[in-house]
Structure formats: structure tokens, C-alpha cells
């Protein structure tokens, strides 16, 4: 299966993705993890991305698209992929559609994890990643509402969107995600 996870910072995309990839046996493609890894290794991509990440802004599309398109050529992606935090704007979504259409493997479901801003702030305040300072969290939320929210309409128009209440325990949210995938997924995905 090919699945996209959309949600504000701290919505639980990473937490839920880990469970979902274990369940479905598909790779976890988190652009945030890829960019942090590149930054930590101080590659050219990592150095170019760093200032955007620290400011809570989107890294330029061409950098992210290069990372994703390279990753999709790896053999494990033949089984499918869970895209976590990608795409994050309509241009990235169109580019992903073009890549997947060319391979004849379109997206099957887009999961929106919905969580109130106040809950997100509480969750991230306790975590301590370098972009979890309160001013950066505020900017990441602004970026989400201004640039990523419009994607929801894009995927609604493509009849791919499933909205999930991301509040409650990790187990409760995971149960809702599994139901949403059963509703949207191809025959056999509810086995
Ligand atoms: P990215 O790494 O994608 O970060 P994010 O979207 O801000 O999301 P987070 O990782 O903070 O949160 P999450 O939703 O994964 O929640 P998590 O499970 O960790 O992106 C970072 C940066 O990289 C961006 O700002 C941007 O600069 C750049 N970037 C990445 N992708 C890009 C792209 N496509 N284009 C351009 N730039 C890009 O949970 C958060 C916390 O809450 C954890 O402590 C967790 O334990 C806890 N928690 C989770 N679920 C629950 C629950 N149900 N109850 C209580 N606590 C919970």
C-alpha cells in the first residue's frame, strides 16, 4: 500500500507510522527523519536544509523531492510506502502523483491526523528536539495551517482523504487508523 500521513507538528505522525509500517510491512519514508539524518551527517543537502528546519519553515521543494525520488528507487519500496510528513504542499503532492503514476503505483489512502494546537504544544514542549522551542513550534504550526492544510482539499477531491481524531491514547488513535485504512483500502487490506 501507498499511504500519506498529514498532520500538524506533534500530531503523532511518527509515533503512529512506526506501528503502521510494522503492521503492513512497508518502509517508513519520513522526510523529517531523512533531513535530520542529512543535517547530522553535514551533507550538502543537510547543510542546505538546516536553516529552514531550525526556523520551522519548509525546506525547498527541490531538495525534498530529490530525497524522496531517490528513496523510491530502492527495492523495498516495491511493496509500498508510508509517506510521513510528505507531501507538505500542493506542488509536492503533484510531484508525488507524477512519480507514482509513472511507476503505475498510485496512492491508496491519505490519513489526516487532527489534533488541537494546544495539545500539540503540550506534547512537543515535553519532547526536546532542537526545533521544539516554543517560537519554532509556533512557526511550524503557522507553516502547517498556511501551506499544508490546502493539501487536504487536494486529496479530498481525489477521494483519498480519511480524517482521524489524533487525540486520546496512542492505542486509541492506532485503532482509528486501522479502521480508516479498512474503509479506504483495496480488497484484502482488512484481512
Ligand atoms: P518533521 O520531522 O516531519 O516534523 P513535524 O511535522 O513537525 O512533526 P513531528 O515529528 O514534530 O511530530 P509528529 O506528528 O511526527 O509527532 P510524534 O509522533 O513525533 O519535520 C521537521 C522539519 O523538517 C519541518 O519543520 C521542515 O523544516 C522539514 N521538512 C520535513 N518534511 C518536509 C517536506 N515534505 N517539505 C519541506 N520541509 C520538510 O509525536 C510528538 C510527541 O507527542 C512525541 O513526544 C510523542 O511521544 C507524543 N505523542 C504521540 N502521540 C501521542 C498521543 N496519542 N498521546 C500523547 N502523546 C503522544
Amino acid at each position: 500500500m501507498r499511504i500519506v500521513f498529514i498532520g500538524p507538528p506533534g500530531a503523532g505522525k511518527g509515533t503512529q507510522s512506526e506501528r503502521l509500517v510494522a503492521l503492513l510491512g512497508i518502509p517508513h519514508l519520513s522526510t523529517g527523519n531523512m533531513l535530520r539524518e542529512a543535517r547530522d551527517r553535514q551533507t550538502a543537502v543537510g547543510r542546505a536544509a538546516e536553516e529552514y528546519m531550525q526556523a520551522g519553515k519548509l525546506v525547498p521543494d527541490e531538495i525534498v523531492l530529490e530525497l524522496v525520488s531517490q528513496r523510491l528507487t530502492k527495492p523495498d519500496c516495491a511493496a509500498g510506502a508510508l509517506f510521513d510528513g510528505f507531501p507538505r504542499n500542493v506542488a509536492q503532492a503533484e510531484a508525488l502523483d507524477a512519480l507514482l503514476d509513472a511507476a503505475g503505483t498510485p496512492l491508496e489512502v491519505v490519513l489526516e491526523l487532527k489534533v488541537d494546537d494546544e495539545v500539540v504544544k503540550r506534547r512537543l514542549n515535553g519532547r526536546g528536539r532542537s526545533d521544539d522551542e516554543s517560537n519554532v513550534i509556533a512557526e511550524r504550526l503557522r507553516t502547517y495551517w498556511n501551506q499544508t492544510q490546502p493539501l487536504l482539499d487536494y486529496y479530498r477531491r481525489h477521494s483519498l482523504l480519511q480524517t482521524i481524531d489524533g487525540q486520546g491514547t496512542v492505542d486509541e488513535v492506532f485503532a482509528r487508523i486501522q479502521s480508516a485504512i479498512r474503509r479506504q483500502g483495496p480488497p484484502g487490506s482488512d484481512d
Side-chain angles (χ1 to χ4, degrees):
M1 277 192 99
R2 281 155 195 88
I3 303 173
V4 163
F5 242 128
I6 298 179
K13 303 181 295 296
T15 304
Q16 297 295 339
S17 290
E18 295 202 354
R19 290 186 162 210
L20 204 49
V21 296
L23 179 77
L24 299 175
I26 56 176
H28 179 195
L29 271 64
S30 157
T31 43
N33 287 349
M34 291 181 205
L35 289 165
R36 276 186 290 279
E37 196 181 302
R39 181 198 58 195
D40 293 348
R41 288 195 290 123
Q42 283 291 295
T43 63
V45 160
R47 286 196 302 274
E50 190 164 14
E51 64 174 294
Y52 297 95
M53 298 171 79
Q54 276 316 114
K57 297 189 184 306
L58 293 188
V59 172
D61 291 346
E62 59 272 20
I63 293 180
V64 175
L65 290 169
E66 178 62 21
L67 281 177
V68 172
S69 56
Q70 289 288 330
R71 181 67 184 84
L72 281 173
T73 63
K74 299 280 183 326
D76 60 339
C77 293
L82 175 53
F83 299 94
D84 163 9
F86 173 86
R88 258 175 148 98
N89 58 30
V90 173
Q92 291 183 11
E94 288 171 345
L96 178 63
D97 280 350
L99 277 172
L100 295 180
D101 286 350
T105 54
L107 284 177
E108 276 135 299
V109 58
V110 175
L111 303 170
E112 175 200 8
L113 264 189
K114 224 176 159 148
V115 177
D116 293 342
D117 284 6
E118 289 315 307
V119 174
V120 157
K121 286 180 194 159
R122 261 204 311 279
R123 287 184 185 175
L124 294 181
N125 276 333
R127 187 175 62 172
R129 206 166 75 190
S130 67
D131 57 349
D132 284 344
E133 285 167 25
S134 57
N135 59 326
V136 185
I137 293 172
E139 183 60 30
R140 285 159 63 199
L141 278 168
R142 260 195 301 277
T143 301
Y144 177 75
W145 292 112
N146 293 337
Q147 298 188 54
T148 307
Q149 270 286 94
L151 260 189
L152 300 178
D153 272 342
Y154 177 90
Y155 284 127
R156 204 171 279 120
R157 281 199 304 277
H158 288 71
S159 305
L160 290 172
L161 189 69
Q162 294 279 340
T163 298
I164 291 143
D165 178 0
Q167 295 180 180
T169 67
V170 172
D171 284 345
E172 285 166 348
V173 177
F174 190 57
R176 291 178 203 136
I177 288 170
Q178 287 178 278
S179 306
I181 289 178
R182 277 197 289 272
R183 279 197 299 277
Q184 181 84 21
S189 63
D190 56 351
D191 290 347

